Amino acid sequence: MKVALAIAGLVLICSLSVFAEIPVQSNFETDRFTGKWYGIGIASDADWFQAKKNKMKMYTTAMMPTAHGGLDVTLSIQKPDGCKVIHDIYKPTGQPGHFQYTSSRWGTMHEVRVVETNYDDYIILHFQKTKGTYMSAMVKLLGRTHYLDSETVEKFKQFCLQQGIKKENFALLPVAEECSAEI
């Protein structure tokens, strides 16, 4: 029993150290990051992702700065039964471009890092999700328009591979009808 607990603790510590090495955009500027973005690509090592990825479609994200240096984030996803809206507040961690939030839907803790952005065209975001001892990673590629150049998409794919996410766990999302929810 003690050996099993020690191994579980070691795995958790190693996982945390891997996530601690995720790069964050240097000189991150929250005010240039805000506005409307389209979810173009997504990749994850989460157990549920493989079964769901082929059903996913492009979504919109609106990001607005908060008074305390965080982000007010609203995702709008078109579903067969209508528009689904998810709202979260990303709280600053003290490092520009690194945020935390607790999912209002699942109660999971998320670490969000802006890995790379040029503010005008694309963002690569890294999410670390934790619930109890379960941890997973997700990488999202967002764009200001529905389409990004192949070089940017390849950059997203290479970053995912560097994070240990397998190619079969990548999804480039097809364009979908936008939700009627206000963004």
Side-chain angles (χ1 to χ4, degrees), residues 86-89 91 100-111 128-136:
I86 301 169
H87 181 254
D88 288 299
I89 301 292
K91 297 175 184 169
Q100 295 178 332
Y101 75 96
T102 301
S103 168
S104 55
R105 182 174 182 197
W106 302 108
T108 49
M109 178 62 180
H110 295 251
E111 294 276 334
Q128 173 193 341
K129 180 169 87 171
T130 306
K131 186 167 187 172
T133 59
Y134 177 79
M135 293 174 69
S136 65

Side-chain angles (χ1 to χ4, degrees), residues 6-21 128 135:
I7 291 171
L10 186 58
V11 167
L12 182 60
I13 289 168
C14 289
S15 298
L16 288 173
S17 67
V18 168
F19 286 123
E21 296 173 14
Q128 173 193 341
M135 293 174 69

Side-chain angles (χ1 to χ4, degrees), residues 53-82:
K53 73 174 188 158
N54 291 329
K55 297 175 185 173
M56 295 178 170
K57 298 199 181 316
M58 191 173 287
Y59 58 90
T60 55
T61 301
M63 298 190 205
M64 300 305 293
T66 65
H68 303 291
L71 288 169
D72 186 325
V73 180
T74 303
L75 272 71
S76 297
I77 306 164
Q78 186 64 48
K79 297 282 191 174
D81 57 345

